[in-house]
Amino acid sequence: MQAPSRAPPSPYALLALLMAMTALGPFTLNILVPAVPNLVVSMNTDPATVQLTISLYLCGLALSQLALGPLSDRFGRRPVVIAGLAITAASSVLAIAMSSIGGLILARTLQAFGASTGLVIGRAVVRDLYDRERAASMIGWVTTVMVVAPMVAPLIGGLLDTTLGWESIFAFVAVASCAVLAWAFIGLPETRPDHITGGGVRFIARETRELLRDRNFIGYGLAGAIGTATFFTFLGGAPHLVIGIMGRSSAEYGAWFALSAFGYMVGNLIAARISPRFGVDNMIRAGIGLQIVGAVISIALATLFPLGGPETVFPAQVLLSCGNGIFLPNAIAGAISVRPQAAGTASGLAGFAQMGFGAMAAQAMSTVIAHSSTAQPLGWTMLALAVIAMVLLVTLVRPTPKR
């Protein structure tokens, strides 16, 4: 099915807006992290309870995508985006007024529901306007902010918490949300194809059922989720490996981790530039293939230098992250192109799968690496995940000619 013939009045302005909408989710997640110790004291509670402001935010970010995608297919992209951003701003103001940790956790959960709007609806908007290969390129540009936002947010959050207190963090998020909301109100057109009439619950149920029955969607979705789990596996295992086993400081770990973020950004830029030329399926294979190469190098370095430092871990991770950045935008584009009339629903399902598999992979690896003395379990796990992703792609997805 061809993409709608409509085009945004200014593609660059729309791209900037989609990047701002997408950045809001990870930015709002990470900006509160530096304030956790202060919240323990301010709320007179324990660290585990305060940590729920982070973990439940992640759960809300994942679960809300299951609702927001279908809602955008039913009511349109624009009203769902406007409502979601308004919820983010309102819940941020609500958080400031909370005097108990329970109320703050509730406000953060609501905040996650709104902040995930850009993540799921942004992909659907791109697919509404562009064909599959061009959509992969646009998503590649948009997802670069998924690296920048988590790197900048803790710095801003730490400065605000230190100078003005934790309440200022939510005030900052409220102002930022209102700014993006105003921008979306002015600059975001309704992009849902005209032939979608929004048939209510039956429409959503039917499209969800058809997507889950489609082997191409399952192939793209699972390959994307399991392939991305290599990165979450590293997130779960690398801190203990570098700080606990290798005896390095958290600051040094953060400096080395920037290499991984750089690799992911390079992969995104490669996907953005050449996906229309080589096609979605070829780019996914290339990205996962690069992950496999990186994992093999990781295992080799861990075997040759079992007592080595971060320099034996992160160079291979740069290749893995670069491969992730190449294949993920294309896997998303493939998933949301299976049934373009249900791009929102497809985006929500794919996003939920990615976060779900990622959370499980991070938790599992944090447990495994705690009982290891080398980086070998980390390398073998990432290799297994990358190989499984490639097998799923090859066996389930029927190649589609590049348009």
Side-chain angles (χ1 to χ4, degrees):
M1 179 179 293
Q2 295 296 322
S5 59
R6 70 185 72 184
S10 173
Y12 296 107
L14 180 63
L15 177 62
L17 172 57
L18 295 179
M19 293 176 76
M21 288 165 43
T22 301
L24 198 59
F27 182 86
T28 306
L29 166 65
N30 289 276
I31 193 172
L32 191 64
V33 172
V36 167
N38 188 22
L39 282 170
V40 173
V41 177
S42 300
M43 294 292 181
N44 191 27
T45 185
D46 57 276
T49 302
V50 174
Q51 187 64 29
L52 291 174
T53 61
I54 307 299
S55 57
L56 287 185
Y57 183 98
L58 274 171
C59 292
L61 209 62
L63 292 173
S64 60
Q65 295 189 57
L66 293 176
L68 291 171
L71 285 174
S72 75
D73 287 336
R74 170 65 177 85
F75 297 105
R77 317 299 186 210
R78 180 180 165 85
V80 174
V81 167
I82 299 299
L85 294 173
I87 290 174
T88 307
S91 60
S92 300
V93 175
L94 180 64
I96 298 173
M98 291 299 176
S99 58
S100 68
I101 188 61
L104 185 61
I105 291 171
L106 175 62
R108 276 285 283 181
T109 305
L110 291 174
Q111 193 181 57
F113 185 88
S116 65
T117 304
L119 291 170
V120 61
I121 309 301
R123 300 167 179 174
V125 168
V126 169
R127 185 58 187 91
D128 291 339
L129 297 170
Y130 301 101
D131 64 22
R132 195 175 73 144
E133 277 68 36
R134 181 59 178 164
S137 174
M138 294 292 286
I139 291 172
W141 288 113
V142 170
T143 52
T144 56
V145 300
M146 298 292 287
V147 176
V148 177
M151 295 175 65
V152 174
L155 174 62
I156 296 175
L159 290 173
L160 289 172
D161 180 55
T162 301
T163 57
L164 300 173
W166 65 266
E167 296 91 346
S168 64
I169 293 176
F170 289 100
F172 184 90
V173 173
V175 172
S177 302
C178 287
V180 179
L181 172 61
W183 189 0
F185 188 82
I186 296 170
L188 183 66
E190 179 53 68
T191 63
R192 188 185 63 174
D194 294 332
H195 66 272
I196 299 179
T197 58
V201 175
R202 289 185 178 180
F203 169 81
I204 294 173
R206 183 182 70 248
E207 292 302 324
T208 301
R209 184 172 60 252
E210 292 300 323
L211 283 168
L212 295 177
R213 288 176 176 176
D214 191 293
R215 59 182 291 171
N216 281 353
F217 176 77
I218 297 298
Y220 286 126
L222 286 181
I226 294 175
T228 306
T230 58
F231 179 70
F232 285 96
T233 296
F234 188 76
L235 287 180
H240 179 74
L241 177 66
V242 175
I243 300 172
I245 297 176
M246 297 178 177
R248 306 302 175 93
S249 68
S250 56
E252 184 174 353
Y253 167 76
W256 279 104
F257 186 78
L259 280 177
S260 178
F262 175 75
Y264 183 78
M265 185 178 294
V266 169
N268 280 160
L269 296 177
I270 292 173
R273 293 296 298 272
I274 68 175
S275 291
R277 178 181 176 185
F278 292 98
V280 162
D281 295 335
N282 289 329
M283 292 296 291
I284 297 175
R285 293 190 190 96
I288 297 177
L290 187 58
Q291 284 191 311
I292 292 173
V293 172
V296 170
I297 294 175
S298 177
I299 295 169
L301 290 174
T303 303
L304 294 172
F305 307 101
L307 301 179
E311 64 276 4
T312 65
V313 175
F314 283 91
Q317 187 59 33
V318 172
L319 292 180
L320 277 148
S321 297
C322 184
N324 197 345
I326 291 172
F327 94 83
L328 183 57
N330 286 277
I332 293 170
I336 63 178
S337 297
V338 171
R339 295 182 67 81
Q341 70 272 27
T345 301
S347 178
L349 290 170
F352 173 77
Q354 289 162 20
M355 288 201 171
F357 275 99
M360 288 188 292
Q363 184 63 37
M365 181 47 60
S366 65
T367 303
V368 170
I369 203 71
H371 301 284
S372 175
S373 58
T374 72
Q376 285 196 38
L378 182 62
W380 281 109
T381 301
M382 292 189 295
L383 176 61
L385 289 170
V387 169
I388 291 172
M390 182 69 84
V391 171
L392 288 170
L393 178 74
V394 173
T395 56
L396 291 176
V397 174
R398 299 183 180 93
T400 303
K402 182 176 74 69
R403 291 186 293 272

